[in-house]
């Protein structure tokens, strides 16, 4: 693997916290307020502690980060100490490349960085991402679970598809490539919208992936195209619960929802919120500690 030199305009720093599994969600959300890329790593094989780590411009977003960490501590009950280290831009990029090998997900998908030589995999749909700017690169259990779920429900041939909280656009691009249908992708983060549009163009999918900035179900584009027969929501457990009524209301009878971004320990909470609005569980997929739910809205 050869690395091409690139430079970052400002100094970078790595920030991280070490927390128990139940606090991962809260601190991942906190670091996401200032970091464009987040990694979650097991500290040891016992899976009792996890490190949530992100890279950001040194000195940027300090007030936002401080407030987000306080909120994470209050919601999780865990007061985690923030660790910082200086990160050389070229060194960080090289490590990003090295930690982004080709990812094979399910039976049909391969996620590859632009730094890797192109290879042909006739049995798989290849999605290419720029590892220098990408987050959501396919290695996370939530993303892998959603891709497996997509394979399982593809035979239903959904026509109206929504990726709510698209991140880097992997799920929208996967659905567009596999189903040959237009996909509406939305995210509350402008950076995610830009990255998704860039990735869609790089993969020749700009005509199928329609990406918009917006805040959940109140996004005008989402309201305009509703209802849907397939919805991806790879977000976080608590936002999924709070949006359960909106999801049920905007899902066609017989429609499918693929929910992720939750730990297996949070599945009961998320499932209960959606059952209250008439959705039923079809499958609970596991990728390590992370769970993916396939829900269905009954006909009639």
């Amino acid at each position: 693997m050869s690395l091409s030199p690139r430079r970052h305009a400002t100094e970078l720093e790595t920030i991280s916290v070490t927390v128990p599994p139940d606090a991962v969600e809260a601190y991942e959300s906190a670091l996401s307020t200032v970091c464009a890329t987040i990694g979650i790593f097991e500290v040891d094989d016992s899976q009792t502690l996890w490190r949530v780590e992100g890279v950001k411009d040194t000195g940027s977003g300090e007030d936002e980060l401080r407030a987000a960490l306080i909120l994470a501590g209050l919601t999780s009950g865990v007061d985690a100490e923030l660790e910082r280290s200086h990160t050389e831009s070229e060194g960080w990029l090289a490590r990003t490349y090295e930690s982004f090998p080709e990812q094979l997900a399910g039976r049909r998908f391969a996620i590859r960085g632009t730094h890797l030589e192109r290879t042909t995999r006739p049995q798989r749909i290849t999605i290419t991402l720029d590892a220098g700017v990408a987050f959501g690169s396919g290695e996370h259990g939530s993303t892998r679970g959603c891709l497996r779920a997509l394979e399982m429900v593809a035979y239903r041939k959904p026509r109206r598809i929504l990726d709510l909280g698209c991140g880097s656009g992997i799920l929208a691009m996967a659905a567009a490539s596999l189903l040959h249908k237009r996909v509406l992708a939305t995210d509350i983060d402008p950076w995610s919208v830009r990255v998704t549009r860039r990735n869609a163009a790089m993969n020749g999918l700009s005509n199928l992936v329609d990406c918009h900035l917006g805040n959940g179900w109140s996004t005008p584009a989402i309201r305009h195209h509703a209802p849907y027969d397939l919805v991806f929501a790879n977000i976080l457990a608590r936002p999924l619960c709070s949006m359960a009524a909106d999801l049920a209301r905007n899902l066609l009878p017989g429609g499918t929802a693929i929910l992720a971004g939750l730990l297996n320990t949070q599945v009961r909470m998320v499932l209960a919120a959606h059952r209250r609005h008439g959705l039923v569980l079809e499958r609970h997929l596991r990728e390590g500690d992370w769970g993916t739910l396939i829900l269905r809205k009954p006909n009639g």
Side-chain angles (χ1 to χ4, degrees):
M1 176 176 65
S2 60
L3 305 181
S4 58
R6 301 186 187 182
R7 295 186 177 275
H8 194 278
T10 60
E11 291 294 321
L12 298 175
E13 64 175 341
T14 297
I15 58 175
S16 65
V17 293
T18 301
V19 295
D22 288 346
V24 167
E25 175 190 352
Y27 280 95
E28 180 184 18
S29 179
L31 268 59
S32 294
T33 61
V34 293
C35 298
T37 177
I38 300 292
I40 302 172
F41 311 95
E42 294 180 46
V43 173
D44 52 42
D45 293 336
S46 68
Q47 297 186 348
T48 58
L49 289 175
W50 293 73
R51 187 174 80 257
V52 184
E53 178 181 292
V55 176
K56 73 179 191 71
D57 293 338
T58 300
S60 68
E62 289 299 315
D63 291 341
E64 294 89 340
L65 176 61
R66 191 176 302 109
L69 289 172
I70 292 172
L71 180 61
L74 291 173
T75 57
S76 68
V78 175
D79 185 14
E81 180 180 355
L82 184 71
E83 299 181 8
R84 300 176 184 261
S85 62
H86 175 73
T87 302
E88 294 291 340
S89 57
E90 285 85 358
W92 167 70
L93 188 57
R95 288 194 298 276
T96 301
Y97 284 168
E98 290 168 0
S99 64
F100 187 10
E102 182 180 48
Q103 302 286 332
L104 302 182
R107 297 181 178 180
R108 298 296 308 276
F109 298 103
I111 314 298
R112 295 178 55 80
T114 50
H115 61 291
L116 298 174
E117 293 181 6
R118 292 183 178 272
T119 59
T120 301
R121 290 186 177 273
Q123 304 304 317
R124 290 185 179 265
I125 295 169
T126 298
I127 297 172
T128 302
L129 303 176
D130 185 345
V133 299
F135 52 98
S137 55
E139 80 283 4
H140 196 283
S142 291
T143 306
R144 299 176 68 84
C146 287
L147 293 174
R148 287 174 55 203
L150 171 61
E151 293 176 354
M152 293 177 182
V153 305
Y155 73 92
R156 294 172 183 162
K157 298 181 180 179
R159 295 176 177 272
R160 296 183 180 181
I161 306 168
L162 170 65
D163 183 4
L164 181 66
C166 59
S168 62
I170 287 182
L171 301 181
M173 292 186 292
S177 299
L178 181 63
L179 301 170
H180 306 290
K181 296 295 181 184
R182 192 170 180 83
V183 179
L184 175 62
T186 69
D187 205 289
I188 195 172
D189 177 19
W191 174 258
S192 295
V193 173
R194 290 194 297 270
V195 169
T196 294
R197 287 174 177 164
R198 182 191 306 188
N199 286 335
M202 184 164 47
N203 287 273
L205 295 169
S206 293
N207 62 325
L208 289 178
V209 176
D210 183 20
C211 193
H212 291 260
L213 180 69
N215 185 6
W217 291 99
S218 65
T219 303
I222 292 180
R223 295 200 306 268
H224 177 72
H225 292 284
Y228 303 92
D229 47 12
L230 176 60
V231 174
F232 296 97
N234 183 8
I235 312 177
L236 293 168
R238 287 182 178 81
L240 286 174
C241 292
S242 67
M243 293 190 293
D246 288 319
L247 171 61
R249 187 164 45 247
N250 287 279
L251 200 61
L252 283 164
T256 305
I258 296 174
L259 309 184
L262 57 145
L263 295 164
N264 288 313
T265 55
Q266 298 169 322
V267 162
R268 287 186 180 181
M269 174 181 70
V270 174
L271 186 55
H274 289 80
R275 279 176 168 161
R276 284 195 292 271
H277 298 284
L279 302 187
V280 297
L281 175 68
E282 286 197 336
R283 295 287 297 272
H284 170 198
L285 307 180
R286 292 172 171 83
E287 288 280 345
D289 283 342
W290 298 93
T292 299
L293 300 180
I294 303 177
L295 304 182
R296 194 90 184 267
K297 183 174 182 177
N299 283 301

